[in-house]
Amino acid sequence: ATAGPLTGDSGDLRELTPGVRARRAATSGPRSIKDVAVVLGLGTLSLPNHNLNSLDGLGVRQELVELYLQGNQLSHFVHLDSQPYLKELHVENNQIASFMGARPQPKLQNLFLAGNPVAKQANCRLMALMAFGSTLRKIDGVQVTHFEREQALKFGEQARVAVQCGWLLDNRHRTEEEYKELIREHQSRMARVVGQGGVEEPKKWER
């Protein structure tokens, strides 16, 4: 792990102890990353327990290697752009129910999802590989197997895009048209969330 992570927050919260900072954040109402003063130290961005419900404002950060977002209110991965050097992502104990908004992460090796609804899905590990890419080595500390990589690839490109739009993978065989309909349906759901201020407008999804 990279040494010396710095936390980001607004005002003088950075000078408080972690426990006090978490209590202050919890009483401030849900917010996005653009609402906090982000400090990136030695490749690490640490924002646990900041009451975040959106990654809006994160952007693409060339220096970002480790991202800590545990204990927030995140329910999706929208605004997590492809980070060129991100190797470790912590989103434990959020409210993430699917991989909606996930984009390929070309260097991601370690993903931590425990404590989210999606982690209870039977195909969670396969969806993680499909959504973020085959560079993943461990999910919640457990090594990704060759069999899992093969299975994730077998579902194909349209299934991958559907997972990135929020579809929960199952083992039913589908035609190309059925996958297209799934993608349209879940993009429509994303659009409704946008109307509630939750996620960005889903244009042609990155593939």
Side-chain angles (χ1 to χ4, degrees):
T2 306
L6 300 179
T7 57
D9 210 318
S10 56
D12 60 358
L13 289 185
R14 282 170 287 180
E15 299 176 4
L16 302 175
T17 65
V20 173
R21 185 166 52 240
R23 288 194 294 273
R24 288 277 188 91
T27 59
S28 65
R31 53 187 180 166
S32 67
I33 286 182
K34 67 183 178 182
D35 297 321
V36 301
V38 173
V39 179
L40 184 63
L42 299 177
T44 299
L45 179 58
S46 186
L47 291 168
N49 305 306
H50 276 63
N51 217 26
L52 298 174
N53 68 351
S54 171
L55 298 178
D56 188 15
L58 179 63
V60 177
R61 297 177 181 267
Q62 296 291 330
E63 302 87 1
L64 183 59
V65 178
E66 298 179 9
L67 180 57
Y68 295 85
L69 296 166
Q70 311 96 304
N72 285 291
Q73 297 186 39
L74 298 171
S75 59
H76 50 70
F77 291 98
V78 175
H79 298 297
L80 179 59
D81 294 322
S82 293
Q83 304 292 333
Y85 299 107
L86 181 65
K87 291 185 177 180
E88 187 161 314
L89 174 60
H90 290 260
V91 289
E92 304 100 306
N93 301 316
N94 277 273
Q95 300 171 17
I96 298 169
S98 74
F99 288 89
M100 177 190 288
R103 308 267 178 109
Q105 300 295 334
K107 300 288 186 181
L108 188 62
Q109 297 177 5
N110 297 301
L111 174 65
F112 296 86
L113 288 166
N116 287 284
V118 73
K120 298 178 182 179
Q121 291 290 324
N123 291 316
C124 177
R125 292 171 65 85
L126 297 184
M127 288 190 288
L129 285 164
M130 294 165 73
F132 289 122
S134 60
T135 59
L136 274 173
R137 295 181 181 177
K138 291 184 178 181
I139 300 171
D140 286 325
V142 178
Q143 194 80 27
V144 173
T145 67
H146 178 68
F147 177 76
E148 287 175 323
R149 294 185 194 282
E150 285 189 332
Q151 289 297 108
L153 285 172
K154 282 182 180 178
F155 280 96
E157 175 68 8
Q158 289 191 312
R160 182 181 74 83
V161 174
V163 166
Q164 290 176 321
C165 289
W167 174 58
L168 295 174
L169 181 68
D170 58 38
N171 296 318
R172 175 187 155 195
H173 175 74
R174 286 178 169 81
T175 65
E176 182 175 338
E177 284 304 314
E178 286 175 321
Y179 274 121
K180 287 180 179 178
E181 180 58 32
L182 272 177
I183 292 169
R184 285 192 293 267
E185 175 187 338
H186 284 82
Q187 284 183 331
S188 177
R189 290 181 184 178
M190 290 173 66
R192 290 197 292 273
V193 177
V194 171
Q196 300 166 5
V199 300
E200 67 184 355
E201 182 68 32
K203 301 179 273 294
K204 184 176 181 181
W205 203 245
E206 180 178 328
R207 306 188 177 198

